[in-house]
Structure formats: structure tokens, C-alpha cells
Amino acid sequence: EAATLGSAMNLMLDTTAETEARIRSFVADASHELRTPLTTLMGYADLHRQGLLTSDEAVDDAMRRIRGEAKRMSSIVEHLFLLANLDEGTIPIEPAVVHVGQLLDDVAADARVVQPDRTITVDVPAPIEIVGDSERVLQAVSILVTNALTHTPTSATLSLGAEADRDGVAIRVSDNGPGIAAEHLDRLFDRFYRVDNARDREQGGSGLGLAIARSIAEAHGGTLHVESTFGHGSTFTLRIPDADAHGSA
């Protein structure tokens, strides 16, 4: 019994230490993401205070950059707030009938506007409906599509699809781009994680999108996972289990 108690205590202490380490890492990552826009804002404020913005053009450019950095910082804070609320379950999931095929058609249409030269297909062989929060499901799928548009060349085909079974609905976003190396897959949904740490934040985002998409899936009782072969493409699968989900001919 003493040995069992000792093992339980060690496990509890290890778990606590791991949790504390994750919290410290999260705070450090969040601070790092916010430091850059804050430094930029302070820099332009100092230039103005020192009287170094000597022309209307310089002032206009400074204000444009200040607005851009403030917008980026606001986006990071809003994403963090959304994640915190999803974790706590304080954002209500408002159930409604979601027509998956129409949702994927809409997301694909938006993506074609952004990248008209990319081949984007939608494959939903039969009408599929789920009961879920349409706005949140749309947000999750849009994150997956945006991720593919950002991190694969326009020559890569993007395929959206869905299929229903007795357990619910699987929504898939696939591309035949460069794929993701195996060592990154386990951490891909971690907050602030980037496959390429040197990636320009203006293009690569804050590293919170996939974490938000997974939290939305989990808020629906579902899952989000990725399969990828380096050099051959990736498939993200968002599964929403729902007793009322069904496909009909």
C-alpha cells in the first residue's frame, strides 16, 4: 500500500509539474506574440514624441503601421479569449441543423475568391446534415482551409469533402502540397506552435488557428486530427459525432 501511495504521489507531482511547465510555456509564447506589436507601437510613439515624423506622408505611414499592429494584437487577444472560453465551456454551442454540403460550398467559394488560380473541389456525394453550431463549425472549417491556402503553393489542389456514418459526420480538408514532417504532427494543434518558427507572422498568423479549430470540435464532442505524408500532402479530419447526423439520398 505504501508503494502504491508513493507511485500515486509521484504521478500527481509529475502531472502538476507538467501542467505548470505548460502554463509557463503558454505565458511565454503569448508574451512573445504580443511583444512585437507593442514594441512597434511604442517605437512610432517615440518617433512622434521626438518630432522625427516630419511630413504628412511619414505621419500617414506611421498611423497605417500603428493601426495594422493594433489590429494584429487585437486579433491575438480575441483568439486567446475565445480559446479560454471554449476551454471553460462558457461559449454556448447553439445547436441547429447544419447543411454540410452547403457549408463546404460556401467555404470553397470564399477560398476561390482569395486564390482564383488554385483548383478547389468539393465532394459531398449525398446531402448531409448535422446538429451543431453552424457559426462555429464554419469557423473551424474556414481555419483548416485558410491554413492550406497559406502553407501550400497555389499549384496544390485543395479538396473539401464529407461523409456520414452511424457515428456522425467526418469533414475532410485535403491538399496535395508539401505535407508536414512527422516530428511536427504531435504538436501541430498546440497553441502558438509553428512548423517554421522563422515564418513571417504577417503571413503565418499567430499559431492559434488550429488550436481554435480543435477546441471547436471538442466543444461539439468531436475530434480534429491530421494525417500527412511529407512531400505528398495533408488531410485534416473534423469529426462531429451526433445521433441526429445522417446522410440521405
Side-chain angles (χ1 to χ4, degrees):
E1 290 180 358
T4 300
L5 178 60
S7 296
M9 289 294 295
N10 288 334
L11 178 60
M12 183 187 69
L13 291 172
D14 288 344
T15 301
T16 301
E18 180 181 352
T19 300
E20 290 179 349
R22 291 183 64 184
I23 291 174
R24 286 195 298 270
S25 176
F26 176 77
V27 171
D29 289 340
S31 299
H32 177 73
E33 290 297 329
L34 293 171
R35 183 182 297 120
T36 299
L38 284 171
T39 300
T40 301
L41 294 177
M42 292 175 65
Y44 280 113
D46 286 341
L47 287 175
H48 177 69
R49 179 175 58 84
Q50 296 168 18
L52 298 178
L53 300 177
T54 57
S55 67
D56 290 342
E57 291 78 8
V59 172
D60 289 344
D61 185 64
M63 294 304 297
R64 178 184 62 82
R65 294 290 296 120
I66 287 171
R67 178 175 175 78
E69 291 300 307
K71 183 178 180 181
R72 183 155 69 95
M73 187 167 58
S74 176
S75 176
I76 293 172
V77 172
E78 287 175 2
H79 287 164
L80 288 172
F81 186 68
L82 173 59
L83 280 168
N85 285 332
L86 286 169
D87 288 345
E88 294 295 327
T90 55
I91 290 185
I93 298 299
E94 301 179 0
V97 175
V98 180
H99 300 280
V100 176
Q102 184 62 60
L103 184 147
L104 296 184
D105 283 338
D106 291 345
V107 174
D110 292 344
R112 293 186 186 104
V113 171
V114 176
Q115 293 187 359
D117 295 332
R118 184 188 293 265
T119 299
I120 301 173
T121 65
V122 177
D123 181 19
V124 182
I128 296 175
E129 297 176 352
I130 61 173
V131 175
D133 190 312
S134 60
E135 180 179 347
R136 295 301 175 195
V137 175
L138 175 63
Q139 182 180 14
V141 175
S142 296
I143 286 170
L144 300 180
V145 170
T146 299
N147 190 67
L149 297 180
T150 302
H151 301 306
T152 65
T154 56
S155 58
T157 297
L158 181 59
S159 302
L160 284 64
E163 59 184 14
D165 56 34
R166 62 183 181 182
D167 296 321
V169 169
I171 299 172
R172 295 185 173 87
V173 176
S174 303
D175 66 75
N176 60 356
I180 305 165
E183 63 265 24
H184 297 296
L185 295 179
D186 288 341
R187 296 198 58 198
L188 200 61
F189 298 98
D190 289 357
R191 295 165 191 194
F192 296 113
Y193 185 75
R194 291 187 181 86
V195 172
D196 181 2
N197 287 328
R199 188 183 301 279
D200 186 340
R201 284 169 171 77
E202 294 289 345
Q203 179 179 355
S206 64
L208 292 172
L210 291 178
I212 290 172
R214 171 167 278 187
S215 291
I216 290 172
E218 292 172 348
H220 284 79
T223 59
L224 174 61
H225 72 273
V226 60
E227 297 177 350
S228 186
T229 302
F230 191 61
H232 295 281
S234 306
T235 296
F236 288 83
T237 302
L238 170 66
R239 175 167 284 277
I240 306 293
D242 194 310
D244 294 326
H246 62 276
S248 59

